[in-house]
Amino acid sequence: MITKVGCPLCTSDGGQVIYRDGGCRVVIAEEAVQTGVCRVILDDHVAEMTDLSVERRGHLMALVFATEAAVRAALHPDKVNLASLGNQVPHLHWHVIPRFYDDAHFPDPIWASPRRTARARRIDTETIRRSLRDTLAGGEGS
Amino acid sequence: MITKVGCPLCTSDGGQVIYRDGGCRVVIAEEAVQTGVCRVILDDHVAEMTDLSVERRGHLMALVFATEAAVRAALHPDKVNLASLGNQVPHLHWHVIPRFYDDAHFPDPIWASPRRTARARRIDTETIRRSLRDTLAGGEGS
């Protein structure tokens, strides 16, 4: 595995792992500003999607879409936001962000200033985990 | 084509078109806060990636990655940000955002409050267009 000293995604899981395969992991981002945010993280320290082979891009995106499907099935968000930024941590990780009309930032991105105080939402991690496994078992996103 | 009355991406191109195929278009987002931002827009009015068939997702992402490769070749950014949000306009469009260490928001997302005034950057649209065509002709992102 390609790792980089000091990279937090090389030295830690980056959240509560709900799925792992030979090259990637899916985590619940427990510290996120928005509840229910998942991240799909490449295990190797690579900065950009176009640094990966077409096959590895496809594998990573299949997991992103499987996670989107799981988040939709588990949380029924009003919208899903997908983003690969990596400005602070240039190690490929995709944010899969369930959005709700009454969340703190809607309709702005979650990185903008909040518009309101959102009501607390209970996120059932086990439901997301089960949905992700069902989705992958069903071939979704492959 | 599936369209929706009142959707700005159904009723207009959404920027200066630099590439178009049977299902998608790539535009330079001339009004964007950040110079050099491209958008890859599905022609049909569809909200989420997991509303598309696996084949159509793959086609759209291949164009996103070809655009990333073109933006990298043309502008040599320090980082690329990719995002599909659609909170304001729930019609699939991917932002391909070249980031520079000295841009107005780095290392924050471009939707956060700016940290500084960025120097003006001249963006050569023709170079991005040519890079995109070269990339697609070379099979990149396919």
Side-chain angles (χ1 to χ4, degrees), chain B residues 5 40 51 61:
Chain B
V5 174
V40 184
D51 292 333
M61 293 316 298

Side-chain angles (χ1 to χ4, degrees), chain A residues 47-51 54 57 65 68 72 79-87 94 99 107 109 111-112 140-142, chain B residues 47-51 54 57 65 68 72 79-87 94 99 107 109 111-112 140-142:
Chain A
E48 306 286 9
M49 289 301 288
T50 49
D51 292 333
V54 170
R57 284 177 217 167
F65 298 138
E68 174 179 299
R72 292 180 76 182
K79 187 71 192 72
V80 178
N81 294 173
L82 302 176
S84 170
L85 307 179
N87 305 316
W94 280 86
R99 301 299 309 275
W111 303 282
E140 175 72 40
S142 62
Chain B
E48 306 286 9
M49 289 300 289
T50 49
D51 292 333
V54 170
R57 285 178 216 167
F65 299 138
E68 175 179 298
R72 293 181 74 182
K79 187 72 191 69
V80 178
N81 294 173
L82 303 176
S84 170
L85 306 180
N87 304 318
W94 280 86
R99 300 301 308 274
W111 303 282
E140 175 73 40
S142 62

Side-chain angles (χ1 to χ4, degrees), chain A residues 2-140:
Chain A
I2 304 162
T3 60
K4 185 164 181 179
V5 174
C7 172
L9 295 182
C10 288
T11 55
S12 76
D13 286 332
Q16 181 184 350
V17 177
I18 57 171
Y19 180 84
R20 194 188 293 274
D21 65 20
C24 304
R25 58 197 186 266
V26 182
V27 307
I28 304 265
E30 292 156 312
E31 89 302 348
V33 61
Q34 194 80 6
T35 45
V37 173
C38 294
R39 295 200 186 110
V40 184
I41 304 170
L42 190 76
D43 287 336
D44 278 347
H45 188 86
V46 175
E48 306 286 9
M49 289 301 288
T50 49
D51 292 333
L52 294 180
S53 68
V54 170
E55 290 70 26
R56 293 183 77 197
R57 284 177 217 167
H59 175 70
L60 182 50
M61 293 315 298
L63 267 185
V64 170
F65 298 138
T67 302
E68 174 179 299
V71 163
R72 292 180 76 182
L75 306 177
H76 307 287
D78 297 310
K79 187 71 192 72
V80 178
N81 294 173
L82 302 176
S84 170
L85 307 179
N87 305 316
Q88 315 245 13
V89 180
H91 174 138
L92 277 168
H93 59 285
W94 280 86
H95 305 267
V96 179
I97 308 164
R99 301 299 309 275
F100 300 91
Y101 296 142
D102 63 352
D103 71 37
H105 300 82
F106 202 91
D108 298 322
I110 64 164
W111 303 282
S113 300
R115 288 179 178 241
R116 65 189 73 83
T117 302
R119 68 180 173 85
R121 263 197 176 77
R122 197 181 142 271
I123 299 298
D124 180 348
T125 301
E126 191 48 40
T127 302
I128 300 178
R129 185 202 305 265
R130 199 170 46 240
S131 294
L132 180 58
R133 293 194 173 168
D134 290 350
T135 298
L136 289 167
E140 175 72 40

Side-chain angles (χ1 to χ4, degrees), chain B residues 117-135:
Chain B
T117 302
R119 68 180 173 85
R121 264 196 176 78
R122 197 180 142 272
I123 299 298
D124 181 348
T125 302
E126 191 47 41
T127 302
I128 301 179
R129 185 202 304 265
R130 200 170 44 240
S131 294
L132 179 58
R133 291 190 176 174
D134 290 350
T135 299

